[in-house]
């Protein structure tokens, strides 16, 4: 496997011209200079800001502590060595990989000749003996490029599975050399470790985490990609050659970042993207190459897979659903994208959020439906099934509309006016405006938008951004006290933190005559095969 070679900075040249003589100074000034230079220097201690809870930096830091042991880390901190890497810049080292992190990178203990430390290396598997080159340091761990795999894990690694010629260099995928069954197992482990490290409730309160739900498509599933490129070098912006002289400049790279670098690599095709995106991407690259000298800034492109909308690419008040599913590529951030989920159509602005794997949306929404209406006696609550649904962070209305047939009244809550506009349009588009409404919520009093809903007969779906829910939202959630809460998350670590707060804080309020929430089930969903990413669905039930 090829390594990512990093160039070391050149030595600094002397700033003093050789034909200039040094300036003469008095003996008193010379003595002061000698005194200052020989006096012991106080080393300034760098201030390190702790990473945000649930961020990628925080996640890997906790996994490093788990591998080294908290006592050893505390000892290093007390000795002032927790930020002092035993490795030099670009030092090469042979390592044995211990485990895989939640981000899909290998974690390896430093050799016994070094102080206890962890090295993070991409594209490696547990048990493999590797050579790596260290390039950056953090608290108790360093990042390194993979140079070679000396002893591969032959049980797991099969390079014949890899479908992308950029795999091992592009930062997009981590798991193409693994069987899909192995990928799903690793993603279940991510959920397990997230709840172990972030939930802060007794282990007995966490149910057995079920196997990860697979994606129907493992390649060709991604409905959105955002390749990017840099502008011409400044020296060429003034004297740009004509297109006939140079059709595609050697320096032009259009694609995605290299692993561990902020450097764009040229990528002609992405095998996890849908076919319509790859078909549109090739001529787009050619067009950029012809016009590249007209760009003064770097550009992040947008390609979204969309159904063709009759009458143009704008939201229209139509209830015509029997349209031909002809796919097109949308590249304008402000244009409208249309997707079909089951029998429903969803329009949304291309630059806004919508799940990027359409093939898994029916299994996901069906799972949420079945969690709210369990078919067995496994539910911790003996109350009647809910009749009302609140979809918080509703976006274009995915859960509100797909679950609408099972409730008498549904409300989606959003802070974004554009999202409310599209969600309302989607309710009309699918003939559901009579029972589904979308309401703008105030961040300080978000549940006041559904004050008319009876909490004891209400189910709540929460699907927040990666940072999760803030304390104010959780306090409002507990004040509303919906019968069932289904928490869908793209960041299982912030989900685990928030679920722990919901469970523990509700238990603290039992004395006030309020019911408490129990975590009934927990399961991952694979929305991004070939990558380390996993979605998670947690179901909480109110027990009186």
């Amino acid at each position: 496997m090829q390594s990512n070679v990093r160039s070391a900075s050149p030595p600094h040249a002397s700033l003093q011209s050789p034909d200039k003589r040094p300036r003469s100074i008095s003996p008193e000034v010379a003595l002061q200079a000698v005194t200052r230079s020989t006096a012991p220097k106080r080393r300034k201690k760098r201030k390190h800001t702790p990473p945000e809870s649930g961020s990628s930096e925080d996640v890997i830091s906790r996994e490093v502590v788990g591998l080294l042991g908290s006592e050893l880390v505390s000892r290093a901190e007390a000795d002032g060595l927790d930020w002092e890497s035993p490795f030099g810049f670009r030092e090469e080292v042979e390592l044995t990989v211990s485990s895989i992190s939640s981000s899909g990178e290998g974690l390896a203990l430093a050799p016994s000749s070094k102080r206890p430390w962890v090295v993070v290396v991409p594209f490696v598997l547990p048990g493999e003996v590797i050579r790596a080159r260290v390039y950056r340091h953090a608290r108790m761990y360093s990042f390194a490029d993979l140079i070679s795999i000396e002893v591969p894990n032959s049980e797991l690694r099969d390079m014949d599975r890899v479908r992308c010629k950029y795999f091992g260099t592009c930062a997009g995928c981590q798991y193409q050399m693994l069987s899909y069954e192995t990928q799903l197992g690793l993603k279940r482990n991510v959920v397990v470790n997230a709840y172990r490290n972030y939930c802060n409730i007794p282990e007995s309160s966490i149910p057995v985490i079920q196997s990860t739900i697979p994606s129907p498509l493992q390649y060709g599933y991604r409905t959105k990609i955002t390749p990017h490129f840099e502008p011409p070098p400044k020296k060429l912006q003034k004297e740009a050659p004509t297109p006939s002289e140079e059709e595609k400049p050697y320096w032009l790279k259009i694609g995605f970042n290299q692993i561990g670098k902020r450097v764009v690599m040229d990528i002609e095709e992405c095998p996890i993207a849908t076919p319509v995106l790859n078909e549109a991407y090739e001529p787009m690259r050619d067009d950029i190459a012809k016009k590249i000298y007209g760009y003064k800034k770097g550009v992040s492109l947008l390609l979204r897979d969309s159904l063709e909308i009759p009458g143009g690419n704008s939201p229209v008040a139509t209830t015509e659903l029997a349209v031909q599913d002809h796919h097109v590529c949308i590249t304008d951030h402000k244009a409208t994208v249309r997707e079909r989920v089951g029998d429903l159509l969803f329009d949304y602005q291309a630059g806004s959020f919508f799940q990027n794997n359409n093939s898994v949306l029916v299994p996901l929404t069906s799972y949420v439906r079945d969690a709210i209406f369990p078919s067995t006696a496994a539910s911790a609550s003996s109350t009647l099934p809910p009749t009302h649904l609140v979809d918080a962070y509703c976006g274009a209305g995915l859960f509100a509309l797909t679950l609408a047939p099972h409730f008498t009244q549904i409300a989606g809550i959003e802070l974004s006016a554009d999202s409310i506009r599209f969600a309302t349009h989607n309710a009309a588009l699918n003939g559901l405006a009579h029972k589904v409404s979308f309401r703008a919520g105030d961040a300080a009093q978000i549940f006041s938008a559904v004050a008319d809903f009876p909490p004891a007969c209400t189910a709540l779906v929460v699907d927040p951004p990666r940072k999760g829910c803030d304390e104010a939202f959780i306090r409002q959630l507990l004040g509303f006290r919906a019968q069932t809460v289904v928490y869908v998350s793209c960041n299982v670590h912030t989900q685990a933190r928030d679920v722990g707060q919901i469970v523990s804080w509700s238990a603290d309020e039992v004395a006030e005559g309020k019911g408490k929430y129990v975590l009934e089930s927990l399961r991952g969903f694979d929305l991004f095969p070939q990558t380390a990413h996993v979605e998670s669905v947690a179901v909480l039930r109110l027990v009186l």
Side-chain angles (χ1 to χ4, degrees), residues 319-391:
T319 56
E320 178 59 52
L321 301 185
V323 296
Q324 181 71 25
D325 282 0
H326 176 63
H327 289 254
V328 295
C329 177
I330 302 299
T331 59
D332 181 355
H333 286 70
K334 295 183 179 181
T336 299
V337 172
R338 172 168 289 184
E339 288 198 38
R340 180 183 297 279
V341 180
D343 295 329
L344 303 178
L345 294 177
F346 291 86
D347 290 351
Y348 57 90
Q349 196 169 59
S352 65
F353 172 78
F354 200 83
Q355 296 288 5
N356 295 334
N357 181 350
N358 182 276
S359 76
V360 80
L361 294 185
V362 169
L364 174 62
T365 54
S366 298
Y367 180 86
V368 171
R369 176 202 63 206
D370 295 342
I372 295 172
F373 301 98
S375 58
T376 67
S379 172
S381 174
S382 59
T383 56
L384 295 174
T387 56
H388 291 62
L389 173 69
V390 175
D391 180 7

Side-chain angles (χ1 to χ4, degrees), residues 99 135 139 175 183 188 214 372 446 454 458 473 486 518 521:
S99 60
Y135 66 85
R139 182 175 182 264
Y175 290 161
Q183 293 185 36
R188 179 185 178 277
I372 295 172
I446 195 164
T458 298
F473 178 88
V486 180
V518 296
S521 66

Side-chain angles (χ1 to χ4, degrees), residues 101-178:
S101 71
S102 295
S103 57
E105 298 165 308
L107 303 180
L109 292 172
S112 57
S113 58
K114 303 283 188 179
R115 286 189 292 102
W117 202 259
V118 172
V119 183
V120 181
V121 188
F123 306 116
V124 296
L125 300 173
E128 293 186 329
V129 179
I130 63 170
R131 288 198 63 79
R133 182 182 294 115
V134 175
Y135 66 85
R136 183 159 60 90
H137 310 302
R139 182 175 182 264
M140 299 302 299
Y141 65 97
S142 297
F143 292 95
D145 287 326
L146 176 64
I147 297 175
S148 63
I149 297 174
E150 302 297 310
V151 180
N153 183 332
S154 57
E155 292 184 7
L156 297 180
R157 181 181 294 277
D158 182 355
M159 298 308 291
D160 289 339
R161 295 190 180 103
V162 175
R163 296 192 189 179
C164 180
K165 63 182 179 180
Y166 308 105
F167 181 73
T169 307
C170 175
C173 295
Q174 297 80 40
Y175 290 161
Q176 288 193 26
M177 71 292 204
L178 298 174

Side-chain angles (χ1 to χ4, degrees), residues 163-167 170 176 225 254-256 266-275 277-279 281-282 285:
R163 296 192 189 179
C164 180
K165 63 182 179 180
Y166 308 105
F167 181 73
C170 175
Q176 288 193 26
I225 58 172
I254 308 172
F256 308 105
D266 201 40
I267 292 180
E268 299 173 330
E269 181 183 22
C270 179
I272 66 172
T274 63
L277 298 189
N278 280 311
E279 291 170 8
Y281 182 44
E282 182 178 359
R285 285 169 49 84

Side-chain angles (χ1 to χ4, degrees), residues 474-492:
I474 293 176
R475 292 295 184 189
Q476 293 178 63
L477 181 155
L478 292 175
F480 184 74
R481 232 51 167 215
Q483 174 191 320
T484 303
V485 176
V486 180
Y487 190 142
V488 182
S489 178
C490 61
N491 184 345
V492 66

